[in-house]
Every structure is written in structure tokens, then in C-alpha cells.
Amino acid sequence: MVLFYIRCPTLGVACEGVAVVTHKPRAAGGSGQQAGTARYRERTAVAARIMFLQWGWLTLIGHLYIQFSVCLSTDSLIERHAYIIPESPVRALGSQLEASCILNDTFVKKSKVDANQIFWKLKEDKISKDFYHTVNSTVSNVTLNISSVGIALLTCNVQLNEDQVTTVFGIQIRAGLPPEKPKHLSCITYHERNMTCSWNPGNNTYLPTSYQFKLSIAPDRLKSYQLLNNVNNSYTIFYPTISYFVSNKIWVEVHNDLGSAKSDVLWLDPVDVIKPDPPKITSVQHVKHISTVLTLKWENPVVPYTYDLEYNLRYRIVDNPEWMQVPPEDTKSKRKSFSVQNLKPFTDYAFTIRCKRKDEAGYWSDWSLEKIGKTPEAVPLRGPLMWRTVENQGSSERKICIMWKELDKSDANGIILKYQMTIKGKTFMKTESFGAEKLEYDLTLSNEEYEIRLNASNSAGDSPDAILIQPSTTKSALPPVQNLQAYPEDNQLLVKWKPPVSSVSGYVIEWCEESSKDSCTGPLYWRHVQKSASKAFLKDNVMPFKRYRITTYTLYSGRPGAPLSQLAYLQQDRPENGPLVHLKHVGKKEAELTWSEIPVKEMRGFITKYTIFYKSGTANETSIVVDAKYQELQLNSLTGNTLYVVRVMASTVKGGTNSSEVNFTTLNFAKGEIEAIVVPICLSFLLITVVTILLCFNKRHLIKKYVWPNVPDPANSRVVEWSPSAANLIQNNLGPKEPLNPDGFISDVTIIEADVDDEKYLSNEDEIKQLTSLKKEKSTSEEHSSGIGGSSCMSSPRQSVSDSDSESAQNTTSTVQYSTVLVSDTGYRCQQPSTQVFTRSESTQPLLENEEKTDEHAYGNFGSCSTEVKRQYFKRNASIEETCLSEPHPNGAEIVGDTNEEDSLRPNQIEISDQNSDLEGCCPTVEEFPSSNDQTVVRLEFLGFSAGLETDQQSYMPQAVKSNSYMPQSK
């Protein structure tokens, strides 16, 4: 090894280089059994070493050339201003470093600076002034604590002015750890290849550290081997430089700038630490007619001739990672084959083997490569596991599905070729054979007890029978298990139970996925459990978020007992959907809700509770928790006529899911409130109605009197009875040729309007009496006729007679409605009419239109003055108008009417001129008497008319009337 140092004084930074040249001397000595191959290997190694030395010297020369070139080039370019002592320090972690920066005198004079302007930096971080001080005008000392490992740059800097700083010198500080003593030195010999020694180098030193492996077989035969830079914990010596049967002294030395260390010395003979190669298994064969034995054969490795080997042999079933080992005492001696016994028939086994020196020295070889062998078939160990499902089809038949499972390989002992089933009852026996692919059989049996046997067959023979008894339906079921529980554990469903009091031969657990409540539509899974078990894990055919119905049966010598079921989830989650909410009833202050149970497939867990949320408008939401067994709730204390929003959340242990919101509005009135209001009102109205009817019935005569007075029917008028000759009257109205009274005539008629109360128009005392009597009759008639809406003939003037002007309407009580022409006691010219004629009825009923026309004809023919005279009389303003004088009077009489419309008080006269002295007819007597307002009262008398009247008959007298009205009179 050659060490060199190069310093460039002008640069001010020391450059150090290390070149290591290692020469491996030729191994001395050797085994007397060297062969040609060993010599060839030695020559190859020597040639490689020579080539390595040549390349090492060339690398060293190139490195030196580069270092000198850098130093020479920097010496001419950079002027040295200062330097630091020490130049390249190496310090241990936790130690101190004192360094001095010395300024060059030329730099001090030229730059006009001194040591007071020096400051220090470590890794570009400025060092505090507390750690350095000025010695003189050119020297500044700094003291550092080494607190980290690795390489750090320390620089000396000068503050030239406020804005300018220059670095005048710098050095690299190396911090690390001294080497530790190598420990646990050991060596392994690989026969005829190499010997490898290894040790524990200790902690990293963070500094360049060299390791040397040293071996000595004699005091004068020391061998030293330098390790490569990247290797510090092992070294390998290749064959044939290894010395067998000789004690070798081995140790390790380590060096760096902070110190050196040496391991403990190891004394050993390489032959004692040999690790042989593993044996090679050549074959695995089975023994004929023995299905539980396999024989292995192998080749031993090459070892020194003095070596005695022992073996370790292990095996396992191919599908099982667990190894089984042959007892070591069975393989203690050196051999090349071995027979492994107690294996399972028709099973693949993997075998491996290793070896070592028998006297406990040395190392076990590695395990050999695996070799696989298979045992032959044997008769199946047992019959298939069997179970059944029963479906009652009627009172005397059952549909039974018999199911069985394939045998495990360990039980089948070969390839199953067929199954054979025998079903036996009291009066029934049936045998069926099935292929290996069929695993169930359906049949219909009666309700009696049956024994079912099933075996499996392979090439080696038939298995023992598996027995299942189907009990009779008339017998009571055997006791079931107790306290059945099912819950998840370790990603499995754990089923636990308490055995019944009676002794059992086993258990059967069946499970299925529920698609709806108490209904399994999917496949049914089942398994047998040993009689000593009280729990079982279900891992196969179990999925999370699905509900399973788990049923456990006891077996009593193949006879099933009563079942016991439990529901379980492997893993739960919140429901997939919320419940469907309905409104059952809505009242004023309450509402009744119902909701349907969530379908089993959407539950995803057990429903633990329902939470009902409801609110109105912007009010806070209210919640009510209901147990999961209820699906209805009544909300109370609600507000009438208010809109509410309600939803129901179904919850499991993992959370809840809300239903859709349902809106409802409470009623204005509660149930019965409307009836409580309407019924009393109706009863009150009914009571009032009944009382009113009773009162009306009790006072019916008064009601009839004032509300419905008796109104004579004009059809029943007594006019016909009064008329002596109704036929003649009718004939006269139709225009007969013969007058009623041919002997009399009316010479002159004057109609005067006068106030009934004014008695000055009356000429004598008899007339006044008649007028007084008329007033009383009128007053009585008005009282009796005032009840029909004011439409009685005595309460208002007839519109057919007069136009009911304002004056007559205001004083209807003093108006004479009817007027009558009376025939005087002594007829005109001493003529007496042969018949009595009446022009008006005494009835108070207003005249009909045809009656008015009839009276007009009657008056027109009253004096036999004409046969057909249509007369309109009693007009407004007391005018009398001749409406029809189309024909001359038969007696030559002429009727002249003078009307003065300007003066309503002027008498209107009807003059009848006598143009024929020989004319026979009725002769009226006209009497005039004066009045104070220039009105003339005319009294018409038909001579001889009154003489023919009887005392008990109705008579009429002329009346003084107000304008356009008449009044009926009594005689």
C-alpha cells in the first residue's frame, strides 16, 4: 500500500489522495491430492492478479497527474490571502476543534484590514462571535464542538466594507467514529469450493475504514487479505488454498484516521466446519398391495472420505403446507434409501432430505429439492355424509329429497365410481345405484318409518354404509338442542348450542338465505358436526348483508331430532331502502301512521328500531323512537288545519335509512264536533217547526180568517139565481131582437162624482140613511178583504173600470166601487116592466173581463134602447164614451154623449132623445137636486120597476160616488 499527500500552498487547501495496491501472494503449500483442475485454477488466478496490478498502477499514475495539474493551475491564478491551521482535520463525534485563520501581510496592507474584521462560517452558517476571538491584527481563533458526523466546510471570511465580503480560506472537517472491534467471527467450508468467514463489523464509522483478514497456519506463514472498500463483514478463501486437517489461526483488523481495532482469534480446522451439499432424491415408489407405504431413494453428496453422514427426512401432503418428519433416530446412519409408512391411500406426498456430519461437528446441508410420490387406492374409509328434506304432500304421503356429499380425498381413498342406496320400510324395500356425479335423490314415501343406507365404491371396494332414519309422522320428535345462538366472529358465522340431556350421535346444521320472511328460495346448505362439539363455524356459502336461517338438528343413531332455528347476518349494514309509509287516519289533533316492513333482501341487517320524524312548516323537527316489532304509531298533540311532513327511518346496528316523505293536513274539526253543532241546531229547528205547526193547527181558524179568507168563486155567482130570466139576459147579451123592458126607456142619465161622506148631495133623510148603511157595509167588506195582498175588490179600485190615478189610490176607503140603477116605485108613464133585471152582483170578487163585457151589454139593453151596444162607461174624469152605436135603436132613439174633459167636476150627461112618441119601453124618471160644487145628482128611476121587487130580495140604490168609482149598497 502506498500513501501520498499533495499540497497546493498557493490554493490554501490541502489535497490528499490515497492509493491502495494490494498484492496477494501465492498460497504456500497445498494438498497432496492436487489435480490438474486445481493447477489450472491457480494459473488463472495468478494471471488475474497480474492484470489487476497493472490496472492499479495505471490508475495511480492518472490520479497523481490530475492532482499536480490542479495545483499548478491554481497556483498561478489564485493569490493566497490567508491560511487555516490545521489544514485537514479529522475529529471524533463529540470532540472539539480549535482552528486559527492567519491573514497574509500583503493582503492586510493592500486591503487595509485586520483580524477584527474576520468572521467564521460552518456549512454556510455563520458562527456566533462567542466561539471565536482575535489574537492579534492578523490571527483569529475559533473553537467548535463536533456534534454531527460527515464532512463539513469551515471558511474564514473578511468584511471588507459594509457591502463587500470575501472568503480568504477554507478547510474540510471530517467527523466520524473510531472503528469497533469485529465480533462473532465464524467460518464455513464448502467442500472443494471455498471457505467463507464472516463477522459483525459494528457501527458505521462515517470515515474511510480499511479491513484486513488475516490467517496463519504457522508463525512464519501469515497471510493478510485486504477487503474491498464496499465489503466490511466477510471474506472468502477459495479452494485449493484451504488447508484441511490443520489448525488455522484467523482474525480481522480494522483501521481509520481515528484508530484501529482487532477481533478475537478463531482457531479451527476447515474440515470441521464443512457444510455438505444436500442429497439428491432419485425416486419415490409405492409398495405393491400396501396403500400406506412409499419408498425413497437418493444420492449422497461428495464429502471427505473420513466423513460419516446422518439425515433428516420430512414429507407432507401436496395440498397441505404442514410438514411431517421421520424420527431422526430412524435415519441416523449413512444410507441411500428409506421407506415411509402410515401414509394415507391415494394421496400425493412431497418428500425432501438433508444431511450433515454425524459427530455433531459441521453444518446441516440445505434441504434437497422436493420429490412427489402417490400412494395407491384403498377401500373408502366411510360412507358419504347424508341428509334429507321433507315436504308433506298430504295426510298419507311425504316428498323426501335425500342429499349426500362427496367424500373427502382422505376418506375416499381413491376415485369414487358409484353410489348405492337402499331404502327399507316395514312393507317396502328399494335399492338404487347412482353415478359418481349424482348427489341427490327424490322420492315419495308414506308416513311410516324408513331406514336409508348409502355407500360409495371405488376400484378397491365399497365403503361402509351411512345410515339415516326417517321417523314416522305418528311418533313424537326427539329433543332438540338448547340455547341455540348464531352471530359473526372472525369473518365467519359462529353457531353455538347446548347439547340436550340425552346422548346424541352427532349434529346436522343446515342454513339457507332468506328471500322473504320465513321462506328460503335459494339452495339449502348443510353439514355434519361431531357429537362432542358444541359449536361450529360456517364460512362457506355465507355472504355479507344477507340474512340466513340456521337450523340445528340432533342425531340419535341416525334418527333426526326436533329442529331449532336462528337468524343471523355475517355482516350488517344500513337498510337499502326505507319503509313504505301510509296514513291510516288523520284527525284534528292526531294522525295514525302505518308502515310496511322492509323486504328481507333490502334489510341488510336486523331492524332494531324505527324513528318517526315529523314537523309542520318551519317548526323544529320532532322524533319518536318505536320498537322494531311495531309498524304503526299515532301522533298526538297536533295542530288542527296544519300541513305536516312525516318520514320513518328504519335502523340497524350500522345506521338507518329514511323513507320517502309523506304530507298530510290535519282536519279543521275533530270527529263528532260537526255532529255536536249540527245535531242541536237540527233538533232546535225541528222543535221550533213542530211547535209552529202545533200553534198553527191550534189557531187555524184565525190563520184562515186573516191569511186565507173565503173568496167566492165567480162561477158560483148568484147573479143567475137573481135574474128572473137568465136565458133572456144571455139572449140580450148575445143581441136578441126583443128588449127586456119594451115599455120603459132611459131618457137621460147623468153620472156625478161626489164624496160619499158629503151629505149635501142627498135630498132627503132616507137617502142619508141608505148612505150610512153603505159606509158600514164597505168598512166591513174592507176588513174582511184586506188579507189577500191588497188585491181584494174592496181595498182598491178596479183597474178595469178606472185607471187608478193617484187621487183615487190614496183614498180607496171612501170610494164607491159599485153603482146600481134602481127602478123607481112608479114606472115611467105608468109602465111596469114584466121582469126584474140586475146589472151587478153583490159579490166582492173583482169582475172578470167577460163579466165586464156582459154588464156592458146588460146596461146597453137595459131600456131596450138598442139591441147591440157595446158600452165603455165610468171612464176617468167621469166621461162616458159610446163605444158602439153601429146600429140605430130599434125604436128610433138616439144616444148622445157630451163629454167635457177639461173640467172633471162638470156633470156628464147621457141624453136620450125621444124621436118616436109612440115608442114603448122603459121610461126613467130623472130627478135632479143641486149641490154646492155645481154638481148635479141625478136619480134614475125606472117606472114600475120597484113595484115588482120582493122585500127579501137584494135591491140597489143610486149612490153618489167619487171620480171613476162605485160602491155596492144594501136595500
Side-chain angles (χ1 to χ4, degrees):
M1 182 178 68
V2 179
L3 297 178
F4 65 90
Y5 294 91
I6 302 173
R7 178 179 177 185
C8 299
T10 306
L11 181 62
V13 178
C15 301
E16 178 180 328
V18 177
V20 179
V21 179
T22 303
H23 171 69
K24 201 173 207 181
R26 236 174 131 178
S31 173
Q33 301 176 356
Q34 293 178 352
T37 58
R39 288 192 297 270
Y40 173 77
R41 290 176 183 175
E42 183 179 1
R43 288 194 296 269
T44 304
V46 172
R49 292 190 192 100
I50 294 172
M51 185 179 293
F52 175 76
L53 290 175
Q54 292 175 351
W55 279 106
W57 282 109
L58 290 174
T59 303
L60 175 61
I61 293 171
H63 182 73
L64 292 176
Y65 174 78
I66 293 172
Q67 293 288 343
F68 280 112
S69 298
V70 171
C71 289
L72 293 175
S73 62
T74 54
D75 183 49
S76 60
L77 295 176
I78 301 175
E79 182 180 359
R80 186 176 67 176
H81 300 309
Y83 60 92
I84 298 175
I85 299 175
E87 292 183 353
S88 299
V90 177
R91 295 290 184 269
L93 181 66
S95 63
Q96 286 187 347
L97 171 65
E98 291 184 359
S100 300
C101 179
I102 304 172
L103 297 178
N104 189 296
D105 293 338
T106 305
F107 175 72
V108 171
K109 293 177 181 179
K110 183 178 179 180
S111 302
K112 298 180 181 181
V113 295
D114 57 20
N116 292 323
Q117 296 174 254
I118 295 175
F119 63 92
W120 297 82
K121 282 185 178 181
L122 181 64
K123 294 182 179 180
E124 299 298 327
D125 296 329
K126 192 173 181 179
I127 300 174
S128 175
K129 292 182 179 181
D130 297 336
F131 295 97
Y132 63 87
H133 62 279
T134 302
V135 177
N136 53 39
S137 60
T138 59
V139 178
S140 176
N141 290 344
V142 65
T143 302
L144 299 176
N145 292 320
I146 306 302
S147 57
S148 62
V149 295
I151 299 175
L153 180 61
L154 178 64
T155 60
C156 177
N157 307 274
V158 176
Q159 186 77 39
L160 299 178
N161 51 50
E162 294 181 357
D163 299 327
Q164 188 176 3
V165 175
T166 183
T167 301
V168 294
F169 202 80
I171 61 172
Q172 287 184 339
I173 301 175
R174 299 181 187 180
L177 297 173
E180 294 184 2
K181 176 182 178 180
K183 300 176 181 178
H184 309 299
L185 177 62
S186 62
C187 297
I188 297 177
T189 302
Y190 299 97
H191 184 59
E192 294 186 351
R193 289 200 303 274
N194 60 65
M195 182 179 72
T196 300
C197 297
S198 59
W199 60 90
N200 182 8
N203 296 325
N204 187 7
T205 62
Y206 303 101
L207 295 173
T209 303
S210 63
Y211 288 85
Q212 289 182 340
F213 179 82
K214 294 190 175 184
L215 183 147
S216 176
I217 58 175
D220 55 346
R221 299 183 66 178
L222 177 62
K223 297 178 182 180
S224 181
Y225 304 97
Q226 182 70 39
L227 274 65
L228 299 176
N229 291 333
N230 57 348
V231 179
N232 63 357
N233 61 348
S234 66
Y235 188 79
T236 300
I237 301 175
F238 292 94
Y239 187 81
T241 58
I242 304 172
S243 299
Y244 284 166
F245 306 107
V246 176
S247 180
N248 291 259
K249 180 181 178 182
I250 301 171
W251 73 94
V252 177
E253 293 181 359
V254 56
H255 303 273
N256 67 9
D257 291 340
L258 297 179
S260 61
K262 178 182 177 182
S263 68
D264 294 334
V265 175
L266 176 64
W267 295 91
L268 59 83
D269 184 353
V271 75
D272 295 334
V273 293
I274 290 177
K275 181 179 180 180
D277 293 333
K280 181 180 179 181
I281 300 175
T282 57
S283 65
V284 178
Q285 298 177 350
H286 64 271
V287 179
K288 190 176 182 180
H289 303 302
I290 301 177
S291 59
T292 59
V293 177
L294 288 175
T295 301
L296 280 76
K297 294 182 179 180
W298 64 85
E299 294 179 356
N300 289 316
V302 176
V303 292
Y305 67 95
T306 59
Y307 241 58
D308 193 7
L309 297 175
E310 60 178 327
Y311 307 91
N312 276 346
L313 181 62
R314 63 180 186 178
Y315 60 95
R316 64 179 178 87
I317 299 174
V318 170
D319 296 334
N320 190 348
E322 183 177 356
W323 289 96
M324 294 169 283
Q325 188 169 345
V326 174
E329 57 271 15
D330 294 343
T331 57
K332 197 73 172 174
S333 60
K334 187 175 181 178
R335 63 180 64 204
K336 293 184 179 180
S337 64
F338 188 82
S339 295
V340 182
Q341 302 177 6
N342 299 322
L343 302 178
K344 293 182 178 181
F346 201 69
T347 304
D348 292 325
Y349 286 92
F351 298 90
T352 184
I353 191 173
R354 67 177 181 175
C355 63
K356 70 176 289 291
R357 189 174 179 178
K358 186 177 179 179
D359 57 2
E360 300 296 335
Y363 296 92
W364 283 100
S365 69
D366 295 330
W367 289 100
S368 67
L369 297 176
E370 293 183 2
K371 189 74 173 180
I372 296 176
K374 189 173 186 178
T375 55
E377 289 189 359
V379 174
L381 294 180
R382 59 176 179 82
L385 296 175
M386 186 169 43
W387 188 236
R388 89 291 180 265
T389 60
V390 180
E391 180 181 348
N392 294 324
Q393 288 188 333
S395 58
S396 60
E397 289 186 345
R398 293 173 292 178
K399 182 179 179 181
I400 299 178
C401 178
I402 303 173
M403 304 170 290
W404 59 92
K405 292 184 177 182
E406 292 181 352
L407 290 172
D408 295 335
K409 290 182 178 181
S410 59
D411 295 327
N413 289 342
I415 299 175
I416 300 300
L417 302 176
K418 67 176 182 177
Y419 298 99
Q420 184 171 345
M421 179 182 294
T422 302
I423 304 170
K424 183 178 180 181
K426 290 182 179 180
T427 59
F428 175 87
M429 185 172 179
K430 184 178 182 181
T431 301
E432 292 283 347
S433 294
F434 312 102
E437 69 281 354
K438 191 173 181 64
L439 297 175
E440 63 180 36
Y441 177 62
D442 296 329
L443 73 161
T444 302
L445 298 175
S446 64
N447 291 332
E448 66 181 22
E449 183 177 294
Y450 291 90
E451 181 185 72
I452 303 170
R453 292 176 174 268
L454 181 68
N455 61 37
S457 302
N458 61 12
S459 60
D462 299 334
S463 70
D465 290 340
I467 300 175
L468 178 65
I469 297 175
Q470 179 59 41
S472 172
T473 56
T474 59
K475 293 183 180 180
S476 59
L478 297 174
V481 297
Q482 301 175 7
N483 301 332
L484 180 64
Q485 299 177 358
Y487 51 87
E489 184 176 300
D490 297 334
N491 203 28
Q492 302 177 91
L493 275 178
L494 174 61
V495 183
K496 295 178 66 176
W497 64 88
K498 182 179 179 182
V501 178
S502 304
S503 175
V504 299
S505 60
Y507 302 94
V508 173
I509 301 175
E510 66 177 26
W511 68 97
C512 64
E513 179 187 344
E514 275 198 349
S515 58
S516 60
K517 191 173 183 179
D518 300 330
S519 174
C520 291
T521 58
L524 178 69
Y525 307 101
W526 56 276
R527 60 172 289 189
H528 279 254
V529 181
Q530 295 180 356
K531 63 179 181 179
S532 59
S534 60
K535 65 180 180 180
F537 287 95
L538 304 180
K539 187 174 182 179
D540 298 332
N541 302 312
V542 178
M543 300 292 292
F545 315 132
K546 304 291 185 182
R547 188 164 85 178
Y548 292 92
R549 175 171 292 276
I550 301 171
T551 306
T552 302
Y553 293 84
T554 51
L555 290 177
Y556 298 89
S557 299
R559 189 187 305 271
L564 189 62
S565 298
Q566 185 67 265
L567 299 175
Y569 281 89
L570 177 63
Q571 184 178 346
Q572 299 190 56
D573 196 3
R574 64 179 60 194
E576 184 176 344
N577 293 310
L580 186 61
V581 184
H582 303 278
L583 288 173
K584 187 176 181 181
H585 166 71
V586 177
K588 180 181 180 182
K589 294 185 177 181
E590 75 283 342
E592 189 171 357
L593 306 174
T594 61
W595 56 89
S596 59
E597 190 174 10
I598 300 175
V600 173
K601 288 187 176 181
E602 299 178 3
M603 283 186 179
R604 301 170 67 88
F606 291 112
I607 302 300
T608 57
K609 64 179 179 179
Y610 293 101
T611 306
I612 292 84
F613 300 92
Y614 66 97
K615 67 175 181 177
S616 62
T618 58
N620 293 331
E621 194 171 50
T622 305
S623 62
I624 300 176
V625 178
V626 179
D627 193 84
K629 63 183 179 181
Y630 300 106
Q631 276 85 40
E632 62 180 4
L633 175 68
Q634 180 169 325
L635 303 177
N636 298 315
S637 302
L638 303 181
T639 304
N641 194 25
T642 304
L643 177 64
Y644 283 88
V645 179
V646 64
R647 57 187 172 89
V648 178
M649 182 176 69
S651 301
T652 64
V653 292
K654 294 294 185 179
T657 301
N658 287 315
S659 68
S660 58
E661 292 185 345
V662 176
N663 301 331
F664 66 90
T665 303
T666 53
L667 303 179
N668 280 330
F669 301 97
K671 184 179 180 182
E673 282 189 1
I674 297 179
E675 292 82 353
I677 296 173
V678 173
V679 170
I681 292 176
C682 293
L683 292 177
S684 300
F685 180 76
L686 180 62
L687 181 62
I688 293 172
T689 304
V690 171
V691 171
T692 303
I693 293 174
L694 292 177
L695 289 175
C696 292
F697 182 78
N698 213 11
K699 302 294 183 178
R700 64 186 179 279
H701 59 283
L702 294 177
I703 295 174
K704 184 177 181 182
K705 178 179 179 181
Y706 292 103
V707 180
W708 295 288
N710 289 326
V711 179
D713 188 356
N716 299 326
S717 176
R718 295 175 63 187
V719 172
V720 179
E721 297 178 2
W722 293 344
S723 175
S725 179
N728 293 335
L729 180 61
I730 296 172
Q731 185 178 5
N732 290 336
N733 290 335
L734 297 174
K737 298 294 183 179
E738 297 294 332
L740 290 174
N741 190 6
D743 295 335
F745 68 94
I746 300 173
S747 62
D748 190 14
V749 178
T750 301
I751 305 303
I752 299 174
E753 295 183 5
D755 195 345
V756 178
D757 296 333
D758 197 350
E759 299 179 358
K760 64 184 178 179
Y761 296 102
L762 305 180
S763 60
N764 53 38
E765 187 176 334
D766 293 335
E767 291 177 354
I768 294 173
K769 290 181 180 180
Q770 290 178 0
L771 182 60
T772 305
S773 175
L774 180 62
K775 288 180 180 180
K776 292 180 180 180
E777 269 185 52
K778 176 179 178 295
S779 176
T780 305
S781 298
E782 287 181 353
E783 291 177 359
H784 287 281
S785 64
S786 62
I788 311 177
S791 62
S792 176
C793 59
M794 298 301 292
S795 61
S796 63
R798 291 186 63 235
Q799 298 296 326
S800 63
V801 177
S802 65
D803 292 334
S804 299
D805 57 75
S806 62
E807 181 182 0
S808 63
Q810 292 173 0
N811 195 8
T812 57
T813 59
S814 62
T815 303
V816 178
Q817 215 170 21
Y818 287 24
S819 153
T820 306
V821 178
L822 299 177
V823 180
S824 63
D825 294 339
T826 60
Y828 181 71
R829 292 180 181 180
C830 299
Q831 296 178 2
Q832 183 173 354
S834 60
T835 59
Q836 296 176 351
V837 180
F838 299 90
T839 61
R840 292 282 182 181
S841 169
E842 189 176 41
S843 173
T844 60
Q845 174 71 24
L847 294 180
L848 303 175
E849 184 179 357
N850 59 354
E851 286 182 333
E852 290 181 2
K853 294 179 180 180
T854 304
D855 290 344
E856 290 175 7
H857 288 288
Y859 276 100
N861 295 298
F862 190 66
S864 299
C865 298
S866 65
T867 58
E868 291 181 7
V869 180
K870 186 176 182 181
R871 192 180 216 180
Q872 184 174 359
Y873 50 93
F874 306 137
K875 283 285 191 176
R876 188 174 180 178
N877 297 326
S879 63
I880 300 175
E881 181 181 358
E882 240 173 76
T883 60
C884 182
L885 295 174
S886 61
E887 293 183 4
H889 195 276
N891 296 328
E894 184 178 355
I895 300 174
V896 180
D898 295 331
T899 305
N900 188 0
E901 295 178 356
E902 296 178 359
D903 190 0
S904 62
L905 297 177
R906 183 178 177 178
N908 296 322
Q909 298 179 355
I910 302 176
E911 293 182 359
I912 305 175
S913 61
D914 187 8
Q915 297 180 2
N916 190 357
S917 61
D918 297 332
L919 189 62
E920 294 181 357
C922 55
C923 298
T925 300
V926 180
E927 295 183 2
E928 294 185 4
F929 46 90
S931 63
S932 60
N933 53 3
D934 297 330
Q935 291 182 344
T936 304
V937 178
V938 180
R939 180 172 180 175
L940 301 179
E941 292 183 359
F942 292 92
L943 297 178
F945 209 86
S946 60
L949 295 175
E950 296 180 359
T951 57
D952 56 344
Q953 289 181 339
Q954 183 73 29
S955 63
Y956 291 83
M957 62 180 296
Q959 299 293 324
V961 299
K962 201 173 178 179
S963 175
N964 298 331
S965 60
Y966 291 84
M967 294 180 62
Q969 299 294 322
S970 300
K971 72 176 181 176

